[in-house]
Amino acid sequence: MGLVIQSLPYLLLGAVQTLKITLVAVSLGCILGLVAGMGRLSRRRLTSFLATCYVDFFRGTPLLVQIFIVYYGFPQLLDEGQKFLMASLGMPQLLQTTHIPVFVAATLATSLNSGAYVAEIFRAGIQSIERGQVEAARSLGMTEGQTMRYIVLPQAFKRVIPPLGNEFIAMLKDTSLLSVIGYVELTRQGQLISGATFKPLQIYFGVALIYLIMTFTISRLVDYLERRLKTGDLDRS
Amino acid sequence: MTLIEVKDLHKSFGSLEVLRGINCNIDEKEVVVVIGPSGSGKSTFLRCLNLLEVPTRGEVIIDGTSLTDSRTNINAVRQEVGMVFQRFNLFPHKTVLENITLAPIKVRHLPETEAEKLARELLARVGLSDKAGAYPEQLSGGQQQRVAIARALAMRPKIMLFDEPTSALDPEMVGEVLAVMKDLARDGMTMVVVTHEMGFAREVGDRVLFMDEGLILEEGTPAQLFNNCQNPRTRAFLSKIL
Ligand SMILES: Nc1ncnc2c1ncn2[C@@H]1O[C@H](COP(=O)(O)OP(=O)(O)O)[C@@H](O)[C@H]1O
Ligand SMILES: [Mg+2]
């Protein structure tokens, strides 16, 4: 127990990193997800096809593999891409890309992954708005865009808060996978301390407890937000 | 003056032919009541008049503008054609006042203060001045439908379409909505009303259309149709609801 308390500052430092990367991933994921979610609903075939490919790929493959592709695969892609470009221009290669920063890779992989899940959340949210709402707006002369912006999305946003909360919690736990590329978040920090102290049971139990506290708090927060929104007054768009 | 011209209007959903050649002209200030059995295509007909449904064949001309012409700006036409739905379809995340001012501000580009003034006038007209700040879910069905009428009127439309506006209401609330519609009719609004309220049809209808299986089978003044209809199908339908 004393050991856990001693290492607590380090673990908390890791927890802050975990929260940080989760926040970044889900925020960027929301932007990507809104685009991809509306893309899936687009009447333009190509748009909806591309959006579907994106969503299917990132939901249908393990996040760990996605992390490897980004962290180990992208530098190779950049390097060979540049080689090819320079060769076709008849110039020598300027610089060799051997790696990308861990934080960049972590952000990229988790955001792309989160975006795919958020896209499905937004798509379902948009589709859950009754047709009558759209018809009423269109019958008043609003364009498709105005109808989306003033009628559909504000109502959909309320409905997606609980599933978005779940996505945040899922992503918070999944960021532990980033430890494998050396991103120092909570799990990685636990690994380091456990390696130095040879007390894996206590340390990992402490790590688990901190995850639990974070997920529990967030889930309560989402519940509260959901209740506030139900009464309709947190709206003011 | 003819405000609505419908020529040989056809509408199919897949292989189901719902409208099978509707022809009718509606004059300015005329109140036309559409009756007919459920599934006969009344709603579809009405929805073709503001292009919520796209006709499969035929033409709809509103105030000289053909809706089926691909060059027509459909949003501009819709501003002139208000619609009231059976299920009200108020925007639940907006207050009563915001429900009414939204389209005038965003579509007609009315200044906010002016839109609000207009909305309050309309709310007074439908007898709901005290509900401006309420949310739709706080209102009764009859009140919601009156707000929906005010919302449509706020666009200053030339035509108002009503699709069974009282069918989803408890009986004691039907009267308050019909009263607003009668007031509107007396004021000279051009109206097309799908309804089973025969009292309303008799009192304010200039013409009644009887639809069955996607066609207008019979039409005439309320007196002609209700007291002396010619088609046996009309008689059978009327005997069921009168
Ligand atoms: N969007 C649609 N898709 C398929 N069938 C439809 C659609 N809208 C209406 N219909 C069908 O068209 C027929 C006429 O419907 P409607 O115009 O609503 O009749 P009414 O209003 O007279 O009851 C019905 O059989 C209905 O099931
Ligand atoms: Mg109907």
Side-chain angles (χ1 to χ4, degrees):
Chain A
M1 196 62 213
L3 182 64
V4 174
I5 290 172
Q6 250 181 1
S7 19
L8 200 59
Y10 301 98
L11 290 180
L12 287 181
L13 225 59
V16 169
Q17 287 307 310
T18 290
L19 272 176
K20 204 166 97 184
I21 190 73
T22 306
L23 212 59
V24 169
V26 178
S27 303
L28 292 177
C30 277
I31 298 169
L32 277 171
L34 186 61
V35 174
M38 299 218 302
R40 285 206 65 182
L41 294 172
S42 168
R43 259 166 312 170
R44 252 173 281 165
R45 286 273 188 78
L46 183 66
T47 309
S48 104
F49 175 75
L50 291 176
T52 305
C53 287
Y54 163 66
V55 169
D56 285 351
F57 180 81
F58 282 94
R59 277 164 43 106
T61 56
L63 176 57
L64 185 58
V65 175
Q66 294 162 17
I67 292 169
F68 285 156
I69 291 177
V70 171
Y71 188 60
Y72 298 114
F74 274 22
Q76 188 192 342
L77 183 75
L78 289 174
D79 196 49
E80 287 177 9
Q82 197 211 152
K83 241 184 240 160
F84 178 79
L85 186 74
M86 287 311 189
S88 59
L89 289 173
M91 291 195 280
Q93 189 173 9
L94 291 176
L95 54 142
Q96 224 177 349
T97 317
T98 49
H99 78 285
I100 51 179
V102 174
F103 181 75
V104 173
T107 304
L108 210 58
T110 52
S111 301
L112 285 168
N113 180 274
S114 192
Y117 285 91
V118 174
E120 283 302 272
I121 293 172
F122 280 155
R123 183 187 59 80
I126 289 170
Q127 281 182 325
S128 77
I129 305 301
E130 305 77 59
R131 251 177 75 85
Q133 290 290 307
V134 175
E135 290 182 349
R138 298 309 302 273
S139 80
L140 290 164
M142 285 189 223
T143 61
E144 236 180 320
Q146 288 174 324
T147 304
M148 247 316 156
R149 175 158 166 216
Y150 301 117
I151 305 303
V152 177
L153 289 182
Q155 293 184 63
F157 275 131
K158 281 192 190 180
R159 296 193 193 176
V160 300
I161 289 204
L164 272 186
N166 289 338
E167 163 60 15
F168 193 92
I169 289 169
M171 186 44 80
L172 186 100
K173 292 184 289 178
D174 282 351
T175 53
S176 62
L177 291 169
L178 294 170
S179 58
V180 299
I181 56 168
Y183 183 78
V184 185
E185 38 65 69
L186 179 54
T187 302
R188 180 73 187 145
Q189 197 73 301
Q191 272 180 330
L192 294 174
I193 298 169
S194 143
T197 59
F198 303 105
K199 292 272 191 267
L201 181 66
Q202 290 89 326
I203 294 300
Y204 284 126
F205 196 75
V207 166
L209 204 62
I210 295 175
Y211 274 115
L212 189 64
I213 291 167
M214 289 196 287
T215 54
F216 184 82
T217 310
I218 293 161
S219 113
R220 283 304 100 94
L221 215 66
V222 171
D223 280 354
Y224 168 78
L225 208 62
E226 199 189 344
R227 257 179 287 118
R228 279 293 303 273
L229 284 168
K230 268 222 181 79
T231 62
D233 51 8
L234 207 93
D235 179 51
R236 308 293 99 202
S237 51
Chain B
M1 196 197 110
T2 306
L3 203 51
I4 307 174
E5 262 181 277
V6 180
K7 292 183 200 159
D8 194 34
L9 175 64
H10 288 252
K11 174 67 187 179
S12 301
F13 294 106
S15 61
L16 179 70
E17 196 172 23
V18 176
L19 299 181
R20 302 188 296 144
I22 304 268
N23 289 287
C24 103
N25 288 340
I26 295 172
D27 287 337
E28 208 177 332
K29 302 197 174 188
E30 202 179 0
V31 176
V32 173
V33 175
V34 183
I35 60 172
S38 165
S40 57
K42 306 179 298 293
S43 297
T44 306
F45 169 55
L46 215 59
R47 292 156 61 82
C48 281
L49 299 183
N50 66 353
L51 227 60
L52 281 184
E53 302 292 353
V54 181
T56 316
R57 183 146 62 86
E59 205 175 9
V60 177
I61 301 169
I62 302 279
D63 199 18
T65 309
S66 171
L67 297 197
T68 36
D69 187 331
S70 58
R71 283 163 302 185
T72 298
N73 176 357
I74 187 59
N75 294 320
V77 178
R78 282 183 178 143
Q79 296 175 32
E80 310 300 329
V81 186
M83 189 168 208
V84 175
F85 302 84
Q86 185 175 348
R87 306 231 36 110
F88 330 134
N89 297 346
L90 291 181
F91 306 132
H93 59 304
K94 305 227 170 260
T95 63
V96 164
L97 195 76
E98 291 165 342
N99 261 275
I100 302 174
T101 56
L102 181 68
I105 292 171
K106 301 299 178 192
V107 180
R108 285 241 195 261
H109 305 294
L110 226 60
E112 240 168 271
T113 50
E114 215 168 296
E116 197 178 314
K117 186 163 156 276
L118 172 64
R120 290 193 190 278
E121 277 167 30
L122 288 166
L123 276 177
R125 185 166 175 189
V126 301
L128 292 171
S129 291
D130 53 332
K131 300 292 184 192
Y135 281 89
E137 62 176 7
Q138 298 168 311
L139 304 182
S140 72
Q143 292 171 331
Q144 288 191 49
Q145 194 60 300
R146 284 186 279 155
V147 173
I149 294 173
R151 177 178 69 178
L153 290 175
M155 289 301 285
R156 300 253 179 248
K158 294 198 179 95
I159 300 164
M160 284 284 283
L161 309 174
F162 293 84
D163 191 1
E164 302 202 31
T166 58
S167 297
L169 297 178
D170 292 336
E172 74 269 21
M173 295 171 184
V174 170
E176 64 194 55
V177 172
L178 291 181
V180 169
M181 291 168 64
K182 284 175 194 169
D183 173 56
L184 208 55
R186 255 179 249 118
D187 227 40
M189 176 61 78
T190 307
M191 294 164 61
V192 186
V193 185
V194 175
T195 186
H196 296 297
E197 295 293 331
M198 295 305 143
F200 174 84
R202 261 182 216 280
E203 198 178 326
V204 298
D206 296 308
R207 191 153 43 118
V208 179
L209 309 180
F210 173 69
M211 275 185 72
D212 196 14
E213 296 185 348
L215 289 171
I216 297 176
L217 281 194
E218 192 167 0
E219 61 178 293
T221 63
Q224 279 169 346
L225 215 77
F226 293 143
N227 305 333
N228 188 22
C229 65
Q230 304 300 313
N231 195 306
R233 298 255 280 280
T234 318
R235 198 168 307 138
F237 175 75
L238 287 174
S239 73
K240 267 183 242 157
I241 60 163
L242 283 180

